[in-house]
């Protein structure tokens, strides 16, 4: 079968992960073009990825490159116009999350996807491809915990990365927009229902810089869903032990916990520190397999003409929920979520 030729846009922290998967780890994909506004990243594309066809202008890549599909891993505010331009140019699209940074942009992407039913549109909610989360979903569908009625999700970045988070705090859109979108998507996925109201608050005990930027270092949000189920999302910037992503799904007949100890591997180290299990260091390590599996699924969807499971409307909803959560946090009250 013919390989799917892909052009990647964005070769930053996550773009490099996707690019290396496409170039070296997915047999039915071929990375044939790359685009970045940073010249050093185009050198990386040539030297490390072996991609000679490089562009500093995205529209030029769409017009000239020999590609069937694009992978968009640029800054979030660029996603929607790049999705629309690629679909209108006849290319299948993988876009990393978030779909857009506001609902108006998301609607533009929705319309472009609706104009092109012949093309695949894939949104990178990669946690759904994490083998443990996928297994939890399968067990729920098999009835292992009865009817799920609560999700408790925690996502705390390592304290080791806090300086970057502080620098970014004023322009991040706030801790919920910046950090909670994956937990929001998992909550909807596991509960099979959309939140209709949210209460949110936050706290800062360690780094006052977050408060000075109008944000907090810890955020918590409580959701009530259309079917009566509830969700609790806790995000933060200061995990001392590494990258802490943990999810609990509670049902009428039991519960499932994913990663209560976010362990690096199966090793326990017995020494003068005690008995130590090391923690994953960050998202590239924790979700390495998910990034590969989601891109593999995208390529398979394109090759076999199958529609991806996550839709553009899931993208809009998660952005809407993120904004409603931020509004609840700023108002200090309950906000109704309307779609
Ligand atoms: N799914 C996840 O777990 C996950 C994790 C991290 C980041 N992300 C998302 O991935 C995206 C990229 O994040 P990052 O951390 O790699 O950011 P980054 O700042 O490290 O990289 C951004 C890249 O976009 C490029 N770029 C920006 N505007 C461009 C344009 N107009 N044309 C071409 N290239 C352009 C920059 O040159 C750079 O290569 C963001 O939307 C972020 O939300 C998702």
């Amino acid at each position: 079968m013919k390989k799917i030729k892909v052009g990647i846009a964005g070769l930053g922290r996550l773009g490099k992960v996707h690019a290396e998967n496409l170039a070296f780890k997915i047999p039915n994909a071929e990375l044939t073009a790359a685009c970045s506004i940073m010249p050093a990243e185009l050198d990386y594309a040539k030297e490390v990825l072996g991609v000679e066809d490089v562009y500093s202008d995205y529209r030029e890549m769409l017009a000239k490159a020999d590609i069937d599909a694009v992978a968009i891993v640029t800054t979030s505010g660029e996603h929607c116009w790049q999705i629309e331009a690629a679909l209108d140019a006849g290319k299948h699209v993988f876009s990393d999350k978030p779909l857009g940074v506001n609902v108006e942009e998301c609607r533009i992407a929705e319309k472009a996807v609706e104009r092109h039913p012949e093309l695949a549109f894939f949104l990178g909610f990669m946690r759904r491809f994490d083998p443990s989360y996928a297994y939890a979903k399968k067990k729920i569908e098999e009835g292992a915990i009865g009817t799920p009625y609560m999700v408790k999700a925690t996502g705390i970045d390592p304290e080791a990365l806090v300086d970057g988070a502080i620098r970014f705090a004023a322009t991040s859109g706030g801790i919920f927009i910046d950090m909670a979108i994956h937990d929001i998507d998992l909550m909807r996925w596991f509960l099979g229902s959309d939140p209709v109201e949210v209460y949110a608050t936050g706290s800062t005990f360690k780094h006052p810089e977050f408060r000075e930027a109008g944000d907090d270092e810890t955020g918590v949000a409580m959701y009530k869903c259309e079917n009566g189920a509830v969700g609790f999302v806790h995000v933060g910037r200061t995990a001392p032990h590494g990258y802490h992503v943990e999810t609990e799904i509670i049902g009428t007949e039991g519960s499932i916990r994913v990663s209560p100890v976010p362990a690096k591997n199966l090793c326990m180290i017995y020494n003068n520190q005690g008995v130590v299990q090391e923690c994953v260091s960050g998202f590239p390590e924790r979700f390495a397999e998910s990034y590969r599996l989601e891109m593999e699924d995208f390529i398979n969807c394109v090759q076999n003409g199958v529609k991806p499971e996550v839709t553009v409307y899931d993208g809009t909803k998660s952005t809407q929920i993120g904004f409603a959560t931020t509004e609840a946090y700023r108002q200090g009250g309950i906000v109704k979520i309307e779609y």
Side-chain angles (χ1 to χ4, degrees):
M1 220 179 209
K2 175 180 157 298
K3 286 188 180 194
I4 304 299
K5 293 179 183 168
V6 184
I8 193 161
L11 289 167
R13 284 186 316 164
L14 187 60
K16 289 190 176 70
V17 174
H18 285 313
E20 290 178 24
N21 283 335
L22 283 162
F24 307 124
K25 296 185 186 162
I26 301 178
N28 51 346
E30 200 179 340
L31 188 65
T32 54
C35 171
S36 167
I37 52 174
M38 297 171 77
E41 293 179 356
L42 298 181
D43 292 341
Y44 155 86
K46 290 182 184 169
E47 286 157 20
V48 179
L49 305 172
V51 174
E52 289 299 324
D53 193 17
V54 299
Y55 300 86
S56 55
D57 183 89
Y58 177 74
R59 290 188 192 278
E60 194 185 342
M61 178 171 83
L62 290 180
K64 294 189 181 161
D66 179 18
I67 52 177
D68 306 301
V70 292
I72 298 169
V73 206
T74 50
T75 320
S76 304
E78 308 287 314
H79 293 181
C80 285
W81 75 263
Q82 292 185 336
I83 291 167
E84 182 185 40
L87 290 168
D88 285 344
K91 313 298 177 192
H92 302 277
V93 172
F94 171 100
S95 171
D96 219 289
K97 67 84 202 163
L99 177 62
V101 293
N102 60 53
V103 175
E104 293 70 36
E105 278 188 1
C106 293
R107 298 287 185 221
I108 291 171
E110 283 182 2
K111 291 221 160 47
V113 171
E114 287 162 6
R115 271 201 304 280
H116 296 286
E118 76 286 6
L119 297 170
F121 172 73
F122 192 106
L123 187 61
F125 278 126
M126 84 302 174
R127 284 197 199 172
R128 296 193 190 201
F129 289 84
D130 173 71
S132 300
Y133 284 117
Y135 190 70
K137 176 74 174 170
K138 178 170 166 284
K139 295 306 285 183
I140 292 168
E141 285 171 349
E142 288 170 3
I145 60 165
T147 305
Y149 64 81
M150 189 188 310
V151 163
K152 292 198 266 179
T154 298
I156 316 175
D157 275 348
E159 172 92 45
L161 300 181
V162 76
D163 289 345
I166 288 169
R167 272 199 304 278
F168 188 48
T171 54
S172 72
I175 192 165
F176 295 106
I177 297 282
D178 190 34
M179 295 195 67
I181 205 149
H182 288 294
D183 299 300
I184 289 169
D185 180 61
L186 286 181
M187 174 180 70
R188 295 181 60 237
W189 193 48
F190 285 130
L191 295 175
S193 184
D194 289 328
V196 288
E197 58 183 45
V198 55
Y199 170 76
T201 187
S203 71
T204 295
F205 277 76
K206 219 168 171 186
H207 300 283
E209 296 92 328
F210 285 107
R211 266 286 160 84
E212 287 155 20
D215 203 9
D216 262 315
E217 67 189 15
T218 295
V220 293
M222 280 182 66
Y223 300 88
K224 180 89 176 176
C225 293
E226 207 169 7
N227 71 354
V230 289
F232 180 83
V233 171
H234 163 201
V235 284
R237 308 282 193 188
T238 58
H241 51 290
Y243 178 54
H244 192 111
V245 170
E246 174 187 355
T247 310
E248 185 174 5
I249 310 111
I250 304 169
T252 52
E253 310 300 329
S255 62
I256 300 177
R257 292 183 75 165
V258 181
S259 185
V261 176
K264 186 179 185 68
N265 51 39
L266 294 177
C267 292
M268 299 286 271
I269 301 166
Y270 298 73
N271 64 11
N272 60 5
Q273 304 293 305
V275 181
V276 177
Q277 187 158 32
E278 290 182 1
C279 181
V280 284
S281 58
F283 70 83
E285 182 181 12
R286 169 65 181 86
F287 291 111
E289 184 71 346
S290 321
Y291 294 121
R292 186 184 63 76
L293 289 169
E294 68 169 354
M295 195 57 83
E296 202 171 84
D297 194 63
F298 169 61
I299 297 296
N300 289 340
C301 285
V302 171
Q303 213 163 39
N304 302 319
V306 172
K307 287 282 174 203
E309 181 196 310
V310 183
T311 68
V312 70
Y313 308 106
D314 290 313
T316 307
K317 278 188 175 169
S318 57
T319 297
Q320 283 175 306
I321 299 165
F323 271 96
T325 310
T326 304
E327 204 182 316
Y329 166 76
R330 292 192 176 139
Q331 288 180 8
I334 295 173
V335 166
K336 299 271 180 214
I337 309 174
E338 278 155 24
Y339 299 100

